[in-house]
């Protein structure tokens, strides 16, 4: 039984219902619409969160386009970097109170009972449901979430900074964790935007040196400001040669949504190195030479978001002043222009919607 299939605007509400403003994807590839839709009501184990801030993640664009092999539900309210205040509690909620400030992350539901869930791998739960993909997300005045899946935002973490940390932060934090990066390692970060600007900070916190690779000068400038030791403009320099000159990367983390970047990252590794794939291009395949992978003992790792505990750690690091989040505020009325700007690489780091 999968009760989530019946989720969506308009269900489980009582007429005459309250409404809310939301961004809605009605058709893959069509412009997003801003509409009044029924305000959700909290069911068993759920909460309603009044949105303060909602970050724009590249995944939201892939969702709206229906780019990936697994398609999101339609109609869909996107957004999985939502921060807000718990406004009401459904039956049986004991871990939260009205007024708590929480993050509503990508991992909207995990079963809590399977082998993955019980070994620290809830992000791999086969019964998981994802916010802003299979469940309505935070591009709305209110969002419904499972109480046990949201993460409290500590005092001292700004809501607009917490939003990008809820996906971009936890995703790159986990990628660095998965890479096993250590002091004296060289970590190459391919793609500096919303995720990359955080990835390089986590690699630095792990003690590694960082080489940041991007096609845009202003993003590389940002990478330098945030502590990257080396910056390489892949538009006019060969990143493989440049990183090899530094001895090759112990770890290359690919956040750029391009198979070419994945291949360059692979080739920039030193022997025994680890390639961590995070960005998921619409074009799903990369060339991977088997002989060199074997000969050089290369490890290839896929890393998807992070657990609730990872996110709590990300907030802890930020509250301690160890990370900087670069973002610009937007109103949801500009969502279609914003999607276009992100796709063209014109946005320095993260866009965050203000409600
Ligand atoms: Zn995301
Ligand atoms: Zn599970």
């Amino acid at each position: 039984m999968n009760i989530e299939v019946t989720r969506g605007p308009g269900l489980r509400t009582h007429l005459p219902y309250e409404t809310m403003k939301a961004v809605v994807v009605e058709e893959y590839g069509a412009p997003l619409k801003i509409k009044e839709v029924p305000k959700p009501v909290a069911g068993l184990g759920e909460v309603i969160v009044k949105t303060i801030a909602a970050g724009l993640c590249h995944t939201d664009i892939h969702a709206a386009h229906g780019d990936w092999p697994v398609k999101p539900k339609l109609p869909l309210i996107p957004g999985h970097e939502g921060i807000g205040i718990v406004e009401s509690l459904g039956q049986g909620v004991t871990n939260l109170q009205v007024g708590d400030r929480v993050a509503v992350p990508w991992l909207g539901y995990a079963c809590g009972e399977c082998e993955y869930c019980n070994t620290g791998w809830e992000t791999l739960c086969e019964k998981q449901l994802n916010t802003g993909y299979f469940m309505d997300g935070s591009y709305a005045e209110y969002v419904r979430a499972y109480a046990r899946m949201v993460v409290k935002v500590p005092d001292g973490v700004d809501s607009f900074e917490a939003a990008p940390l809820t996906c971009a932060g936890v995703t790159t934090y986990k990628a660095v964790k998965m890479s096993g990066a250590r002091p004296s390692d060289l970590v190459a970060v391919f793609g500096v935007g919303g995720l990359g600007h955080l990835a390089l900070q986590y690699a630095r916190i792990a003690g590694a040196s960082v080489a940041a690779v991007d096609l845009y000068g202003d993003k590389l400038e940002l990478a330098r400001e945030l502590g990257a030791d080396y910056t390489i403009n892949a538009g006019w320099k060969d990143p493989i040669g440049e990183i090899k000159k530094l001895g090759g990367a112990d770890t290359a983390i690919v956040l750029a949504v391009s198979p070419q970047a994945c291949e360059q990252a692979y080739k920039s590794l030193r022997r025994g190195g680890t390639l961590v794939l995070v960005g998921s291009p619409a074009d799903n395949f990369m060339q991977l030479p088997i002989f060199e992978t074997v000969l050089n003992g290369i490890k290839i790792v896929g890393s998807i978001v992070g657990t609730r505990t990872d996110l709590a750690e990300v907030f802890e690091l930020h509250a301690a002043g160890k990370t900087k989040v670069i973002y610009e505020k937007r109103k949801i009325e500009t969502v279609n222009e914003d999607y276009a700007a992100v796709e063209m690489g014109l946005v320095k780091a993260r866009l965050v919607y203000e409600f």
Side-chain angles (χ1 to χ4, degrees), residues 55-308:
L56 190 173
C57 175
H58 215 122
T59 293
D60 302 334
I61 300 178
H62 291 300
H65 291 177
D67 271 339
W68 289 336
V70 182
K71 309 283 177 208
K73 78 179 187 78
L74 288 178
L76 170 73
I77 300 172
H80 56 271
E81 287 189 345
I83 305 296
I85 303 291
V86 175
E87 193 221 28
S88 62
L89 308 175
Q91 271 188 349
V93 175
T94 54
N95 64 325
L96 294 173
Q97 291 184 335
V98 169
D100 282 347
R101 192 166 57 122
V102 296
V104 183
W106 171 251
L107 192 64
Y109 172 83
C111 79
E113 291 171 351
C114 70
E115 191 185 328
Y116 299 114
C117 281
N118 288 322
T119 52
W121 286 104
E122 63 195 28
T123 49
L124 302 182
C125 175
E126 290 184 298
K127 292 187 179 146
Q128 73 180 272
L129 293 168
N130 303 114
T131 310
Y133 210 83
F134 301 121
M135 296 165 64
D136 282 325
S138 295
Y139 285 17
E141 290 174 298
Y142 298 89
V143 58
R144 177 167 53 199
Y146 284 103
R148 63 184 179 81
M149 301 309 295
V150 304
V151 175
K152 283 187 197 174
V153 182
D155 294 341
V157 176
D158 178 82
S159 294
F160 288 87
E161 296 180 357
L165 292 174
T166 300
C167 176
V170 74
T171 298
T172 52
Y173 176 67
K174 187 69 165 192
V176 171
K177 254 190 177 180
M178 294 286 294
S179 77
R182 300 169 306 172
S184 88
D185 277 1
L186 176 66
V187 174
V189 174
F190 282 74
V192 173
L195 278 80
H197 89 281
L198 287 158
L200 70 92
Q201 296 180 63
Y202 295 123
R204 294 268 304 165
I205 291 169
S209 302
V210 173
V213 182
D214 205 284
L215 293 166
Y216 299 92
D218 58 337
K219 293 189 181 183
L220 293 170
E221 179 65 44
L222 173 66
R224 270 190 294 276
E225 283 165 24
L226 294 172
D229 302 273
Y230 312 95
T231 56
I232 300 156
N233 190 321
W236 52 278
K237 274 197 170 169
D238 167 30
I240 304 164
E242 293 300 309
I243 294 169
K244 287 284 187 189
K245 272 189 228 164
L246 300 170
D250 296 279
T251 286
I253 301 175
V254 193
L255 309 160
V257 283
S258 134
Q260 198 200 352
C262 297
E263 289 164 12
Q264 288 175 332
Y266 171 87
K267 289 179 185 157
S268 73
L269 291 170
R270 59 186 293 159
R271 288 190 163 194
T274 304
L275 177 68
V276 185
L277 300 178
V278 178
S280 303
D283 180 359
N284 195 20
F285 295 93
M286 67 177 282
Q287 292 266 359
L288 184 70
I290 298 165
F291 177 76
E292 286 79 359
T293 304
V294 172
L295 189 80
N296 296 328
I298 301 297
K299 292 181 278 296
I300 313 246
V301 177
S303 185
I304 174 81
V305 294
T307 63
R308 288 166 282 181

Side-chain angles (χ1 to χ4, degrees), residues 8-9 20-27 30-38 51 54-56 60-61 63-64 73-80 132-133 135-143 330-339 352-355:
M20 66 172 184
K21 190 157 71 167
V23 174
V24 183
V25 181
E26 292 184 331
E27 194 186 326
L32 290 86
K33 291 191 180 153
I34 294 155
K35 295 178 76 170
E36 283 292 323
V37 299
T51 309
L56 190 173
D60 302 334
I61 300 178
K73 78 179 187 78
L74 288 178
L76 170 73
I77 300 172
H80 56 271
Y133 210 83
M135 296 165 64
D136 282 325
S138 295
Y139 285 17
E141 290 174 298
Y142 298 89
V143 58
R330 291 284 192 277
K331 295 284 188 186
I332 55 170
E333 282 71 20
T334 59
V335 66
N336 286 301
E337 292 94 302
D338 299 335
Y339 272 32
V352 181
Y353 293 107
E354 181 179 19
F355 285 85

